[in-house]
Amino acid sequence: MSGNRAVVYVEPGKVEVSDISYPELILRDGPGVNPLNVGRKCEHGVILKVITTNICGSDQHMVRGRTTAPSGLVLGHEITGEVIEVGRDVEYIKKGDLVSVPFNIACGRCRNCKERNTHVCENVNPDRAGSAYGYVDMGGWVGGQSEYVMVPYADFQLLKFPDKEKAMEKILDLTMLSDIFPTGFHGAFSAGVKPGSTVYVAGAGPVGLAAAHSAQLLGAAVVIVGDLNAERLAQARSFGCETVNLREHPNLGEQIDQILGEPEVDCAVDCVGFEAHGHGNAHGEAPATVLNSIMEVTRAGGRLGIPGLYVTGDPGAVDEDAKIGTLKIRLGLGWAKAHTFVTGQTPVMQYNRYLMTSILNGRAQIAKAVNATKISLDQAPAAYAEFDRGASKKFVIDPHGSVK
């Protein structure tokens, strides 16, 4: 085989489907590849035929031009695929296996990996701990919105589905295991959601919807989702969430009081991140809005899960401080209320096996919750544009027409 096609970032607001190199078990030079990673041998890796790969809100940040992503970067960190080639050092993963790929790239050998902190692996990104496929400043590992992709450290990282035929029947759910479902679950879990909790989820995009569904799985009594987008809030209501339209009702505490009889929740999850906007009709971008508002409405002693993306470099930010990730956060408020903050990438491998079992046994309905919508590879540019306009869909790319 020699051909491969992929979704490539071109410039702010533009992606295209391009011909790229067929993957090898070595990391070659290319857009975004860290010079210290060029030529890195990966005989511990595999080549996958991509079965499904999803468009993520994190991809959208790059496509909007809100990061330092270079032109030509192959996008995509949510990957599910069939193994078609294995490296000589791979022992347990076999050709023909259907697997989910955690978006965190992790070696399994460093201290952090051994302590299950695979989101901050020390050996895969020369710039800092932590890496991901097809993402800016993450080491340059080639993205998976493509027909074929290379995945390193296969024995350690890959989650094999036990029954390939049954897995394909639920592939629109299982494709969410690479990122969005563990990320939403991590947000709810790290916020301390438990049976009987009242929970506020900021953001009704796919991660927010995944966090809301996860909170329900964890036993929350009431899950309230807030957003400025009426279509996305309708999707949250479709599986039993209460909602707050912050465009129409800018006072979050008052709206929570109307739902719960008090203006506070037990815990909250930020699923918006650094492109947050203020509340109300005349809202503008205000990147600290969500963090400050969830501190206001979370009870003293509560916990805040923050899977929403925050970056150290944002060329499109509203001020010079925000361009380097310095935001006007009311830390004094969080300190006074003794809040616990949990931030950073999600350590997918802590959750994906359990969530897989929940899907296969009918407990989790994540594809329904996030409105999974299958598209072809060639439809990806249009889907990026639709997603950017606020569509309440989780786009799932099917590069080979494998999904019934």
Side-chain angles (χ1 to χ4, degrees), residues 177-243:
L177 292 174
S178 56
D179 178 0
I180 180 177
F181 197 9
T183 293
F185 190 90
H186 177 63
F189 183 79
S190 59
V193 178
K194 56 188 177 183
S197 294
T198 56
V199 186
Y200 175 66
V201 177
V207 171
L209 297 172
H213 184 45
S214 297
Q216 293 173 332
L217 292 173
L218 287 165
V222 182
V223 181
I224 305 169
V225 180
D227 204 295
L228 301 163
N229 182 318
E231 180 184 344
R232 290 182 169 182
L233 290 171
Q235 180 63 26
R237 289 192 296 273
S238 74
F239 58 96
C241 299
E242 300 286 343
T243 61

Short mmCIF file of all heavy atoms in Angstrom, two decimals, residues 177-243:
data_model
loop_
_atom_site.label_atom_id
_atom_site.label_comp_id
_atom_site.label_asym_id
_atom_site.label_seq_id
_atom_site.Cartn_x
_atom_site.Cartn_y
_atom_site.Cartn_z
N LEU A 177 -14.65 6.51 22.89
CA LEU A 177 -13.73 6.11 23.95
C LEU A 177 -12.33 6.69 23.80
O LEU A 177 -11.55 6.70 24.76
CB LEU A 177 -13.62 4.57 24.01
CG LEU A 177 -14.86 3.82 24.46
CD1 LEU A 177 -14.64 2.32 24.31
CD2 LEU A 177 -15.21 4.17 25.90
N SER A 178 -11.99 7.16 22.61
CA SER A 178 -10.64 7.68 22.40
C SER A 178 -10.43 9.00 23.12
O SER A 178 -9.29 9.36 23.43
CB SER A 178 -10.35 7.82 20.91
OG SER A 178 -11.33 8.65 20.30
N ASP A 179 -11.51 9.74 23.36
CA ASP A 179 -11.35 11.06 23.99
C ASP A 179 -12.62 11.51 24.68
O ASP A 179 -12.69 11.59 25.90
CB ASP A 179 -10.92 12.09 22.95
CG ASP A 179 -10.77 13.51 23.49
OD1 ASP A 179 -11.00 13.72 24.70
OD2 ASP A 179 -10.41 14.41 22.72
N ILE A 180 -13.65 11.83 23.91
CA ILE A 180 -14.76 12.62 24.43
C ILE A 180 -15.46 11.98 25.63
O ILE A 180 -15.77 12.67 26.62
CB ILE A 180 -15.77 12.91 23.29
CG1 ILE A 180 -16.94 13.71 23.81
CG2 ILE A 180 -16.22 11.65 22.61
CD1 ILE A 180 -17.93 14.09 22.74
N PHE A 181 -15.70 10.67 25.59
CA PHE A 181 -16.40 10.04 26.71
C PHE A 181 -15.51 10.00 27.95
O PHE A 181 -15.93 10.44 29.04
CB PHE A 181 -16.88 8.65 26.30
CG PHE A 181 -17.95 8.06 27.19
CD1 PHE A 181 -18.57 8.81 28.18
CD2 PHE A 181 -18.37 6.74 27.02
CE1 PHE A 181 -19.56 8.27 29.00
CE2 PHE A 181 -19.36 6.19 27.83
CZ PHE A 181 -19.95 6.96 28.82
N PRO A 182 -14.26 9.51 27.88
CA PRO A 182 -13.40 9.60 29.06
C PRO A 182 -13.18 11.04 29.53
O PRO A 182 -13.10 11.28 30.74
CB PRO A 182 -12.09 8.97 28.59
CG PRO A 182 -12.49 8.04 27.50
CD PRO A 182 -13.63 8.74 26.80
N THR A 183 -13.10 11.99 28.60
CA THR A 183 -12.89 13.37 29.01
C THR A 183 -14.10 13.91 29.77
O THR A 183 -13.95 14.54 30.82
CB THR A 183 -12.58 14.25 27.78
OG1 THR A 183 -11.31 13.86 27.25
CG2 THR A 183 -12.55 15.73 28.14
N GLY A 184 -15.30 13.66 29.26
CA GLY A 184 -16.49 14.08 29.98
C GLY A 184 -16.61 13.38 31.32
O GLY A 184 -16.95 13.99 32.34
N PHE A 185 -16.30 12.08 31.33
CA PHE A 185 -16.38 11.31 32.57
C PHE A 185 -15.36 11.83 33.58
O PHE A 185 -15.65 11.97 34.77
CB PHE A 185 -16.15 9.83 32.28
CG PHE A 185 -16.46 8.94 33.46
CD1 PHE A 185 -17.73 8.42 33.64
CD2 PHE A 185 -15.48 8.63 34.39
CE1 PHE A 185 -18.03 7.62 34.73
CE2 PHE A 185 -15.77 7.82 35.49
CZ PHE A 185 -17.05 7.31 35.65
N HIS A 186 -14.14 12.10 33.11
CA HIS A 186 -13.09 12.63 33.98
C HIS A 186 -13.52 13.95 34.61
O HIS A 186 -13.29 14.19 35.80
CB HIS A 186 -11.81 12.82 33.17
CG HIS A 186 -10.67 13.43 33.93
ND1 HIS A 186 -10.08 12.82 35.01
CD2 HIS A 186 -10.00 14.61 33.74
CE1 HIS A 186 -9.08 13.56 35.46
NE2 HIS A 186 -9.03 14.66 34.71
N GLY A 187 -14.16 14.80 33.80
CA GLY A 187 -14.64 16.07 34.34
C GLY A 187 -15.63 15.86 35.47
O GLY A 187 -15.53 16.50 36.53
N ALA A 188 -16.59 14.96 35.28
CA ALA A 188 -17.59 14.70 36.30
C ALA A 188 -17.00 13.97 37.51
O ALA A 188 -17.27 14.31 38.66
CB ALA A 188 -18.74 13.88 35.70
N PHE A 189 -16.16 12.98 37.24
CA PHE A 189 -15.57 12.18 38.31
C PHE A 189 -14.65 13.04 39.18
O PHE A 189 -14.69 12.98 40.42
CB PHE A 189 -14.80 11.01 37.71
CG PHE A 189 -14.19 10.08 38.71
CD1 PHE A 189 -14.96 9.12 39.35
CD2 PHE A 189 -12.84 10.15 39.01
CE1 PHE A 189 -14.40 8.26 40.28
CE2 PHE A 189 -12.27 9.29 39.93
CZ PHE A 189 -13.05 8.33 40.56
N SER A 190 -13.80 13.86 38.53
CA SER A 190 -12.86 14.68 39.29
C SER A 190 -13.57 15.81 40.02
O SER A 190 -13.03 16.37 40.99
CB SER A 190 -11.76 15.22 38.38
OG SER A 190 -12.29 15.99 37.33
N ALA A 191 -14.78 16.16 39.57
CA ALA A 191 -15.59 17.14 40.29
C ALA A 191 -16.29 16.53 41.50
O ALA A 191 -16.96 17.25 42.26
CB ALA A 191 -16.62 17.77 39.36
N GLY A 192 -16.14 15.24 41.69
CA GLY A 192 -16.71 14.58 42.86
C GLY A 192 -18.16 14.20 42.74
O GLY A 192 -18.85 14.01 43.76
N VAL A 193 -18.67 14.04 41.51
CA VAL A 193 -20.07 13.64 41.34
C VAL A 193 -20.29 12.26 41.94
O VAL A 193 -19.51 11.33 41.70
CB VAL A 193 -20.47 13.64 39.86
CG1 VAL A 193 -21.91 13.18 39.69
CG2 VAL A 193 -20.28 15.03 39.25
N LYS A 194 -21.36 12.13 42.71
CA LYS A 194 -21.71 10.85 43.33
C LYS A 194 -23.23 10.77 43.43
O LYS A 194 -23.93 11.75 43.09
CB LYS A 194 -21.06 10.74 44.71
CG LYS A 194 -21.39 11.87 45.66
CD LYS A 194 -20.55 11.77 46.94
CE LYS A 194 -20.83 12.95 47.86
NZ LYS A 194 -19.96 12.88 49.08
N PRO A 195 -23.77 9.63 43.88
CA PRO A 195 -25.23 9.52 43.96
C PRO A 195 -25.83 10.65 44.79
O PRO A 195 -25.40 10.95 45.90
CB PRO A 195 -25.44 8.16 44.63
CG PRO A 195 -24.25 7.36 44.19
CD PRO A 195 -23.11 8.34 44.17
N GLY A 196 -26.83 11.31 44.18
CA GLY A 196 -27.52 12.40 44.86
C GLY A 196 -26.94 13.77 44.64
O GLY A 196 -27.52 14.77 45.09
N SER A 197 -25.82 13.88 43.92
CA SER A 197 -25.18 15.18 43.70
C SER A 197 -26.04 16.09 42.82
O SER A 197 -26.76 15.62 41.93
CB SER A 197 -23.83 15.01 43.02
OG SER A 197 -22.90 14.35 43.85
N THR A 198 -25.91 17.39 43.05
CA THR A 198 -26.40 18.38 42.10
C THR A 198 -25.18 18.92 41.35
O THR A 198 -24.16 19.27 41.96
CB THR A 198 -27.15 19.52 42.80
OG1 THR A 198 -26.31 20.13 43.79
CG2 THR A 198 -28.40 18.97 43.47
N VAL A 199 -25.28 18.98 40.02
CA VAL A 199 -24.12 19.24 39.19
C VAL A 199 -24.44 20.32 38.17
O VAL A 199 -25.50 20.29 37.54
CB VAL A 199 -23.68 17.96 38.44
CG1 VAL A 199 -22.38 18.18 37.68
CG2 VAL A 199 -23.56 16.78 39.39
N TYR A 200 -23.50 21.25 37.99
CA TYR A 200 -23.60 22.22 36.90
C TYR A 200 -22.51 21.92 35.89
O TYR A 200 -21.32 21.82 36.25
CB TYR A 200 -23.46 23.65 37.41
CG TYR A 200 -23.44 24.65 36.27
CD1 TYR A 200 -24.57 24.85 35.47
CD2 TYR A 200 -22.29 25.38 35.96
CE1 TYR A 200 -24.56 25.74 34.41
CE2 TYR A 200 -22.27 26.28 34.90
CZ TYR A 200 -23.40 26.45 34.13
OH TYR A 200 -23.39 27.32 33.07
N VAL A 201 -22.90 21.79 34.61
CA VAL A 201 -21.95 21.58 33.51
C VAL A 201 -21.98 22.81 32.64
O VAL A 201 -23.02 23.16 32.07
CB VAL A 201 -22.31 20.33 32.69
CG1 VAL A 201 -21.35 20.18 31.50
CG2 VAL A 201 -22.26 19.07 33.56
N ALA A 202 -20.83 23.49 32.53
CA ALA A 202 -20.72 24.67 31.68
C ALA A 202 -20.34 24.23 30.27
O ALA A 202 -19.28 23.67 30.05
CB ALA A 202 -19.67 25.62 32.24
N GLY A 203 -21.24 24.47 29.33
CA GLY A 203 -20.98 24.12 27.94
C GLY A 203 -21.77 22.91 27.49
O GLY A 203 -21.68 21.84 28.10
N ALA A 204 -22.53 23.07 26.41
CA ALA A 204 -23.35 21.97 25.87
C ALA A 204 -22.82 21.49 24.53
O ALA A 204 -23.57 20.96 23.72
CB ALA A 204 -24.81 22.41 25.74
N GLY A 205 -21.53 21.67 24.30
CA GLY A 205 -20.89 21.02 23.17
C GLY A 205 -20.73 19.54 23.46
O GLY A 205 -21.17 19.05 24.50
N PRO A 206 -20.10 18.80 22.56
CA PRO A 206 -19.98 17.36 22.77
C PRO A 206 -19.34 16.96 24.10
O PRO A 206 -19.81 16.03 24.76
CB PRO A 206 -19.13 16.92 21.57
CG PRO A 206 -19.48 17.90 20.50
CD PRO A 206 -19.64 19.21 21.21
N VAL A 207 -18.28 17.65 24.54
CA VAL A 207 -17.66 17.29 25.82
C VAL A 207 -18.61 17.59 26.97
O VAL A 207 -18.73 16.80 27.92
CB VAL A 207 -16.31 18.01 26.00
CG1 VAL A 207 -15.79 17.81 27.42
CG2 VAL A 207 -15.29 17.47 25.02
N GLY A 208 -19.30 18.73 26.91
CA GLY A 208 -20.25 19.03 27.95
C GLY A 208 -21.38 18.02 28.02
O GLY A 208 -21.80 17.60 29.11
N LEU A 209 -21.88 17.60 26.86
CA LEU A 209 -22.93 16.58 26.84
C LEU A 209 -22.40 15.25 27.37
O LEU A 209 -23.12 14.53 28.08
CB LEU A 209 -23.44 16.41 25.41
CG LEU A 209 -24.13 17.66 24.81
CD1 LEU A 209 -24.42 17.45 23.33
CD2 LEU A 209 -25.40 18.01 25.58
N ALA A 210 -21.15 14.92 27.06
CA ALA A 210 -20.55 13.70 27.59
C ALA A 210 -20.38 13.79 29.10
O ALA A 210 -20.58 12.81 29.83
CB ALA A 210 -19.20 13.44 26.92
N ALA A 211 -20.00 14.97 29.60
CA ALA A 211 -19.88 15.16 31.05
C ALA A 211 -21.24 15.04 31.73
O ALA A 211 -21.36 14.44 32.81
CB ALA A 211 -19.26 16.51 31.34
N ALA A 212 -22.27 15.58 31.10
CA ALA A 212 -23.61 15.50 31.67
C ALA A 212 -24.09 14.05 31.73
O ALA A 212 -24.65 13.60 32.75
CB ALA A 212 -24.57 16.35 30.85
N HIS A 213 -23.90 13.30 30.64
CA HIS A 213 -24.28 11.89 30.63
C HIS A 213 -23.47 11.12 31.66
O HIS A 213 -24.00 10.24 32.37
CB HIS A 213 -24.07 11.32 29.24
CG HIS A 213 -24.53 9.90 29.08
ND1 HIS A 213 -25.74 9.43 29.56
CD2 HIS A 213 -23.93 8.81 28.51
CE1 HIS A 213 -25.87 8.14 29.28
NE2 HIS A 213 -24.78 7.75 28.65
N SER A 214 -22.20 11.45 31.79
CA SER A 214 -21.35 10.79 32.78
C SER A 214 -21.82 11.07 34.20
O SER A 214 -21.81 10.19 35.06
CB SER A 214 -19.90 11.25 32.61
OG SER A 214 -19.39 10.88 31.35
N ALA A 215 -22.24 12.31 34.46
CA ALA A 215 -22.76 12.65 35.77
C ALA A 215 -24.00 11.82 36.09
O ALA A 215 -24.19 11.37 37.23
CB ALA A 215 -23.08 14.15 35.84
N GLN A 216 -24.83 11.60 35.08
CA GLN A 216 -26.00 10.74 35.29
C GLN A 216 -25.56 9.32 35.62
O GLN A 216 -26.11 8.68 36.52
CB GLN A 216 -26.88 10.75 34.04
CG GLN A 216 -27.54 12.09 33.76
CD GLN A 216 -28.26 12.11 32.42
OE1 GLN A 216 -27.88 11.40 31.48
NE2 GLN A 216 -29.29 12.95 32.30
N LEU A 217 -24.56 8.81 34.89
CA LEU A 217 -24.06 7.46 35.17
C LEU A 217 -23.50 7.34 36.58
O LEU A 217 -23.58 6.27 37.21
CB LEU A 217 -22.99 7.07 34.15
CG LEU A 217 -23.44 6.88 32.71
CD1 LEU A 217 -22.23 6.66 31.80
CD2 LEU A 217 -24.39 5.70 32.59
N LEU A 218 -22.93 8.42 37.08
CA LEU A 218 -22.36 8.43 38.42
C LEU A 218 -23.42 8.63 39.51
O LEU A 218 -23.08 8.61 40.70
CB LEU A 218 -21.29 9.52 38.53
CG LEU A 218 -19.98 9.23 37.78
CD1 LEU A 218 -19.15 10.49 37.65
CD2 LEU A 218 -19.18 8.14 38.50
N GLY A 219 -24.66 8.84 39.12
CA GLY A 219 -25.76 8.89 40.08
C GLY A 219 -26.24 10.26 40.47
O GLY A 219 -26.96 10.41 41.47
N ALA A 220 -25.86 11.30 39.73
CA ALA A 220 -26.30 12.65 40.08
C ALA A 220 -27.82 12.74 40.14
O ALA A 220 -28.52 12.14 39.33
CB ALA A 220 -25.75 13.65 39.07
N ALA A 221 -28.30 13.52 41.11
CA ALA A 221 -29.74 13.72 41.23
C ALA A 221 -30.25 14.71 40.19
O ALA A 221 -31.32 14.52 39.60
CB ALA A 221 -30.08 14.22 42.63
N VAL A 222 -29.49 15.79 39.97
CA VAL A 222 -29.86 16.81 39.01
C VAL A 222 -28.61 17.24 38.26
O VAL A 222 -27.58 17.55 38.88
CB VAL A 222 -30.50 18.05 39.67
CG1 VAL A 222 -30.92 19.06 38.61
CG2 VAL A 222 -31.68 17.66 40.54
N VAL A 223 -28.69 17.27 36.94
CA VAL A 223 -27.60 17.78 36.10
C VAL A 223 -28.13 18.99 35.34
O VAL A 223 -29.09 18.88 34.59
CB VAL A 223 -27.09 16.71 35.11
CG1 VAL A 223 -25.94 17.29 34.27
CG2 VAL A 223 -26.62 15.47 35.85
N ILE A 224 -27.50 20.13 35.57
CA ILE A 224 -27.88 21.38 34.91
C ILE A 224 -26.79 21.74 33.91
O ILE A 224 -25.61 21.78 34.26
CB ILE A 224 -28.04 22.53 35.93
CG1 ILE A 224 -29.04 22.14 37.02
CG2 ILE A 224 -28.46 23.82 35.24
CD1 ILE A 224 -29.06 23.08 38.20
N VAL A 225 -27.18 22.01 32.67
CA VAL A 225 -26.23 22.36 31.62
C VAL A 225 -26.49 23.80 31.18
O VAL A 225 -27.64 24.16 30.90
CB VAL A 225 -26.34 21.41 30.41
CG1 VAL A 225 -25.34 21.80 29.33
CG2 VAL A 225 -26.12 19.97 30.86
N GLY A 226 -25.43 24.61 31.13
CA GLY A 226 -25.56 25.99 30.70
C GLY A 226 -24.81 26.25 29.41
O GLY A 226 -23.72 25.72 29.19
N ASP A 227 -25.39 27.08 28.54
CA ASP A 227 -24.76 27.42 27.27
C ASP A 227 -25.47 28.65 26.71
O ASP A 227 -26.50 29.08 27.23
CB ASP A 227 -24.86 26.24 26.28
CG ASP A 227 -23.78 26.27 25.20
OD1 ASP A 227 -23.78 27.20 24.38
OD2 ASP A 227 -22.93 25.36 25.18
N LEU A 228 -24.88 29.19 25.62
CA LEU A 228 -25.48 30.30 24.89
C LEU A 228 -26.21 29.83 23.64
O LEU A 228 -26.85 30.63 22.95
CB LEU A 228 -24.39 31.29 24.47
CG LEU A 228 -23.56 31.92 25.59
CD1 LEU A 228 -22.27 32.52 25.03
CD2 LEU A 228 -24.36 32.97 26.33
N ASN A 229 -26.13 28.52 23.35
CA ASN A 229 -26.62 27.95 22.11
C ASN A 229 -27.88 27.13 22.38
O ASN A 229 -27.82 26.08 23.03
CB ASN A 229 -25.52 27.08 21.50
CG ASN A 229 -25.88 26.46 20.17
OD1 ASN A 229 -26.99 25.98 19.98
ND2 ASN A 229 -24.94 26.45 19.24
N ALA A 230 -29.01 27.60 21.89
CA ALA A 230 -30.30 26.96 22.17
C ALA A 230 -30.37 25.54 21.60
O ALA A 230 -30.96 24.64 22.21
CB ALA A 230 -31.44 27.81 21.62
N GLU A 231 -29.80 25.32 20.41
CA GLU A 231 -29.84 23.99 19.80
C GLU A 231 -29.09 22.97 20.65
O GLU A 231 -29.56 21.84 20.86
CB GLU A 231 -29.23 24.05 18.40
CG GLU A 231 -29.22 22.70 17.67
CD GLU A 231 -28.53 22.76 16.32
OE1 GLU A 231 -28.32 23.87 15.79
OE2 GLU A 231 -28.19 21.68 15.80
N ARG A 232 -27.94 23.36 21.16
CA ARG A 232 -27.17 22.44 22.00
C ARG A 232 -27.86 22.19 23.33
O ARG A 232 -27.80 21.08 23.87
CB ARG A 232 -25.76 23.00 22.19
CG ARG A 232 -24.95 22.93 20.90
CD ARG A 232 -23.52 23.44 21.07
NE ARG A 232 -22.73 23.12 19.88
CZ ARG A 232 -21.44 23.40 19.74
NH1 ARG A 232 -20.79 24.02 20.72
NH2 ARG A 232 -20.80 23.07 18.64
N LEU A 233 -28.52 23.20 23.87
CA LEU A 233 -29.27 23.00 25.12
C LEU A 233 -30.45 22.05 24.90
O LEU A 233 -30.77 21.25 25.78
CB LEU A 233 -29.75 24.35 25.66
CG LEU A 233 -28.64 25.26 26.19
CD1 LEU A 233 -29.20 26.65 26.50
CD2 LEU A 233 -27.98 24.67 27.42
N ALA A 234 -31.07 22.11 23.75
CA ALA A 234 -32.15 21.17 23.45
C ALA A 234 -31.62 19.74 23.43
O ALA A 234 -32.31 18.80 23.88
CB ALA A 234 -32.79 21.52 22.11
N GLN A 235 -30.40 19.55 22.92
CA GLN A 235 -29.81 18.22 22.92
C GLN A 235 -29.59 17.74 24.35
O GLN A 235 -29.81 16.57 24.67
CB GLN A 235 -28.48 18.24 22.15
CG GLN A 235 -27.76 16.91 22.07
CD GLN A 235 -28.53 15.82 21.35
OE1 GLN A 235 -29.37 16.12 20.49
NE2 GLN A 235 -28.27 14.57 21.69
N ALA A 236 -29.16 18.63 25.24
CA ALA A 236 -28.98 18.25 26.65
C ALA A 236 -30.31 17.84 27.29
O ALA A 236 -30.37 16.88 28.06
CB ALA A 236 -28.34 19.40 27.42
N ARG A 237 -31.35 18.55 26.98
CA ARG A 237 -32.67 18.19 27.53
C ARG A 237 -33.15 16.85 27.00
O ARG A 237 -33.93 16.16 27.67
CB ARG A 237 -33.69 19.28 27.22
CG ARG A 237 -33.48 20.57 28.00
CD ARG A 237 -34.69 21.51 27.88
NE ARG A 237 -34.91 21.96 26.51
CZ ARG A 237 -34.33 23.03 25.96
NH1 ARG A 237 -33.46 23.74 26.66
NH2 ARG A 237 -34.61 23.38 24.71
N SER A 238 -32.69 16.45 25.82
CA SER A 238 -33.18 15.23 25.20
C SER A 238 -32.85 13.98 26.02
O SER A 238 -33.50 12.95 25.85
CB SER A 238 -32.61 15.08 23.78
OG SER A 238 -31.24 14.70 23.80
N PHE A 239 -31.86 14.05 26.89
CA PHE A 239 -31.57 12.89 27.73
C PHE A 239 -31.67 13.22 29.22
O PHE A 239 -31.04 12.59 30.06
CB PHE A 239 -30.22 12.26 27.38
CG PHE A 239 -29.01 13.15 27.48
CD1 PHE A 239 -28.23 13.15 28.63
CD2 PHE A 239 -28.63 13.97 26.43
CE1 PHE A 239 -27.11 13.95 28.74
CE2 PHE A 239 -27.50 14.77 26.51
CZ PHE A 239 -26.73 14.77 27.68
N GLY A 240 -32.51 14.21 29.54
CA GLY A 240 -32.92 14.39 30.93
C GLY A 240 -32.21 15.45 31.73
O GLY A 240 -32.37 15.49 32.97
N CYS A 241 -31.46 16.32 31.08
CA CYS A 241 -30.78 17.38 31.82
C CYS A 241 -31.69 18.61 31.96
O CYS A 241 -32.52 18.88 31.09
CB CYS A 241 -29.50 17.81 31.10
SG CYS A 241 -28.27 16.50 30.92
N GLU A 242 -31.51 19.35 33.04
CA GLU A 242 -32.05 20.70 33.14
C GLU A 242 -31.09 21.63 32.39
O GLU A 242 -29.91 21.33 32.27
CB GLU A 242 -32.14 21.14 34.60
CG GLU A 242 -33.04 20.27 35.46
CD GLU A 242 -34.52 20.49 35.17
OE1 GLU A 242 -34.85 21.53 34.57
OE2 GLU A 242 -35.34 19.63 35.56
N THR A 243 -31.59 22.76 31.90
CA THR A 243 -30.72 23.65 31.13
C THR A 243 -30.93 25.11 31.51
O THR A 243 -31.99 25.50 32.00
CB THR A 243 -30.96 23.50 29.61
OG1 THR A 243 -32.31 23.84 29.29
CG2 THR A 243 -30.65 22.09 29.14
#
